Amino acid sequence: MRLPLAAALSAAAVLTVALPLAGVAMAAQATAPAASGPTVKIDNFVFGPATLTVKVGTTVTWVNNDDIPHTVVANDHVTFKSKVLDTDQSFSFTFTKPGEYPYFCSLHPHMTGKVVVQA
Amino acid sequence: MGHSGDNENGERGSIGRRGLLKCMGWTGTGVLWTIAGGVPSAIGLDQAMAAGMPATKAFTFMQISDSHIGFMKPANPDSRVTYREAIGKIKALPQRPDFMIHTGDISQLSKPEEFDDADQIVRESGLNTFYVPGEHDVLDDDNGKLYLERYGKGSKGAGWYSFDHNGVHFVALINVLSLKAGGAGSFGPEQLAWLKDDLAGRSASQPVVVYTHVPMWLISQDWGWGTDDAAEALGYLARFGSVTVLNGHIHQIMQKVEGNVAFYTANSTAFPQPAPGTAPSPGPMKVPEDRLRSVLGIRKVDFIKTGTPLAITNTALSA
């Protein structure tokens, strides 16, 4: 039981290494930074801008510029959840419903941000 | 907030404001503990090697922390090298410690190959090593399953456990899982219930050593350097006459004494982090290459008989 599981985890890690930008598993997520959508930069353990307002259907991309890994996780842990983003890695999510989407870094939970999606 | 030089050979006496500020400037990494059934103290490895162990000791153990194997950024191009140097210092001790505690962030990204490298280096110490995970060790898709499989044998829940050694009760707690937005470290109700149970019925005179990754006292609200539900844990520990809390996470040495509880943060073997309020973020601090080993290091701590003041010294890798 232990061996197959360890092997599976190793395989997953290898895949992540080979395709760093494909490290987001959810169907709704882009595998590369969206060319035209807005970007939230992670600098010095801060999401910038802290609040981003977009129209429905917009793809938002987060880019980690820190030397420390971060994550982007909706406060409900469900709506969106990135894998760990190492330096220069990014995560994208397309917002298809209006509303307010507070999120945080699950590694450094004092890092918080919000996306406001307008109809 | 800066400090240099005059504590290299030890700090004795109660920890006042001045002492605390001095500690905040210290750097180093491994901690060697000696226990003689009372108040703990720490001495630098190099000092220990020169002076020999105090006669009062019953046994000693090492604390190392935040090896971040896999970290290869400007602040330290290869954290394996400095980790191996730290282990080398421990191997060179004239008296072999009974075991070693690693207070988390073994790896940078929880990758199997990072854990492999870390384990290989630690094995060179020849010491049995106990772990708690840091937030960097639970980044796999299953929130720490990989860590648990590798390091969590015999543990409870997400990996917490306790054991007794020479009459001292050691408790390993995890405060890097299920963190909430806007918060800091967290133990969670299941673990706290286990802790309450684990401590129930023990004699208040038994020394207790608690170790966990994120500090259990609030060092910086802005940087999340604290544990949200630490007060409940400390409540269960309050009746014990000697409680020592060890942690890592902040890559610098600080200490605080509150009642019968002595809190110690340890240094990293990988890279330094800034003191709270001295930088825009707690990110890795880049120092000139020839200074790196002066801000990493190892530390040795002794338990001295009850009533004796703390004695703590930290030794840099470059010492």
Side-chain angles (χ1 to χ4, degrees):
Chain A
M1 171 110 182
R2 289 175 65 90
L3 275 176
L5 183 51
L9 287 164
S10 298
V14 168
L15 183 64
T16 305
V17 170
L19 300 167
L21 291 178
V24 284
M26 295 171 65
Q29 296 166 358
T31 54
S36 56
T39 298
V40 176
K41 291 179 178 173
I42 305 173
D43 278 306
N44 283 325
F45 290 64
V46 171
F47 293 109
T51 299
L52 178 71
T53 302
V54 299
K55 293 280 185 196
V56 164
T58 304
T59 297
V60 176
T61 299
W62 287 262
V63 181
N64 179 18
N65 294 328
D66 275 349
D67 273 355
I68 282 290
H70 296 295
T71 62
V72 179
V73 180
N75 283 11
D76 64 6
H77 291 256
V78 172
T79 308
F80 53 91
K81 184 176 181 180
S82 78
K83 291 201 176 189
V84 63
L85 306 177
D86 202 0
T87 307
D88 296 332
Q89 289 184 337
S90 64
F91 163 75
S92 297
F93 181 78
T94 303
F95 291 89
T96 56
K97 287 182 188 168
E100 292 200 352
Y101 297 87
Y103 64 90
F104 72 117
C105 167
S106 61
L107 289 179
H108 313 100
H110 63 285
M111 295 171 56
T112 58
K114 185 163 71 175
V115 176
V116 179
V117 181
Q118 295 176 334
Chain B
M1 202 68 71
H3 156 74
S4 65
D6 59 352
N7 278 313
E8 292 305 311
N9 293 316
E11 174 83 359
R12 286 187 180 273
S14 61
I15 305 303
R17 176 175 164 74
R18 181 173 151 76
L20 178 62
L21 291 179
K22 282 179 179 174
C23 292
M24 291 168 69
W26 287 349
T27 51
T29 286
V31 185
L32 182 59
W33 292 81
T34 306
I35 298 194
V39 178
S41 69
I43 57 177
L45 270 186
D46 287 355
Q47 186 191 34
M49 291 166 70
M53 300 304 300
T56 52
K57 72 162 179 57
F59 70 97
T60 65
F61 68 95
M62 291 297 309
Q63 184 196 356
I64 51 173
S65 201
D66 295 85
S67 43
H68 286 264
I69 298 304
F71 184 90
M72 295 183 182
K73 302 278 165 60
N76 184 343
D78 190 346
S79 55
R80 290 173 298 191
V81 173
T82 44
Y83 196 35
R84 184 163 269 128
E85 286 176 26
I87 296 298
K89 290 245 174 199
I90 294 162
K91 278 165 62 184
L93 279 171
Q95 178 164 345
R96 186 181 154 91
D98 282 16
F99 57 87
M100 191 151 65
I101 285 172
H102 192 305
T103 43
D105 283 357
I106 305 157
S107 71
Q108 176 70 359
L109 292 169
S110 307
K111 293 178 181 172
E113 60 269 29
E114 295 174 346
F115 288 133
D116 285 346
D117 283 350
D119 291 351
Q120 188 185 341
I121 293 168
V122 159
R123 268 198 298 275
E124 292 168 11
S125 73
L127 295 175
N128 190 18
T129 305
F130 297 89
Y131 292 89
V132 286
E135 74 278 8
H136 286 254
D137 300 321
V138 293
L139 295 173
D140 54 300
D141 289 345
D142 295 311
N143 299 316
K145 195 168 182 176
L146 199 53
Y147 167 89
L148 206 54
E149 287 186 340
R150 195 178 279 249
Y151 303 104
K153 194 180 173 188
S155 66
K156 307 282 197 325
W160 49 85
Y161 58 91
S162 68
F163 64 93
D164 281 36
H165 188 83
N166 285 19
V168 176
H169 189 54
F170 288 82
V171 184
L173 299 179
I174 298 178
N175 56 4
V176 296
L177 291 170
S178 305
L179 305 183
K180 292 183 183 66
S186 172
F187 293 125
E190 189 191 350
Q191 184 173 206
L192 288 167
W194 171 84
L195 176 66
K196 185 182 180 184
D197 232 38
D198 180 75
L199 296 173
R202 291 185 178 275
S203 163
S205 63
Q206 182 175 25
V208 179
V209 174
V210 176
Y211 55 101
T212 189
H213 181 64
V214 178
M216 278 178 67
W217 47 296
L218 185 62
I219 293 172
S220 169
Q221 186 93 53
D222 288 349
W223 289 357
W225 286 359
T227 302
D228 289 336
D229 49 5
E232 186 177 337
L234 292 170
Y236 300 141
L237 290 159
R239 69 184 177 85
F240 290 89
S242 168
V243 178
T244 303
V245 179
L246 310 177
N247 64 268
H249 187 57
I250 68 168
H251 297 213
Q252 60 197 288
I253 290 175
M254 292 190 194
Q255 64 185 39
K256 174 190 175 182
V257 179
E258 196 173 283
N260 293 332
V261 184
F263 299 86
Y264 297 90
T265 71
N267 286 296
S268 165
T269 63
F271 56 85
Q273 283 178 258
T278 64
S281 84
M285 199 158 63
K286 171 84 177 101
V287 298
E289 196 184 328
D290 60 357
R291 263 202 67 216
L292 177 61
R293 280 160 180 77
S294 73
V295 292
L296 307 174
I298 49 184
R299 183 173 64 173
K300 179 181 171 178
V301 182
D302 296 272
F303 271 71
I304 298 176
K305 283 193 187 296
T306 307
T308 310
L310 300 173
I312 295 185
T313 303
N314 304 283
T315 302
L317 283 188
S318 58

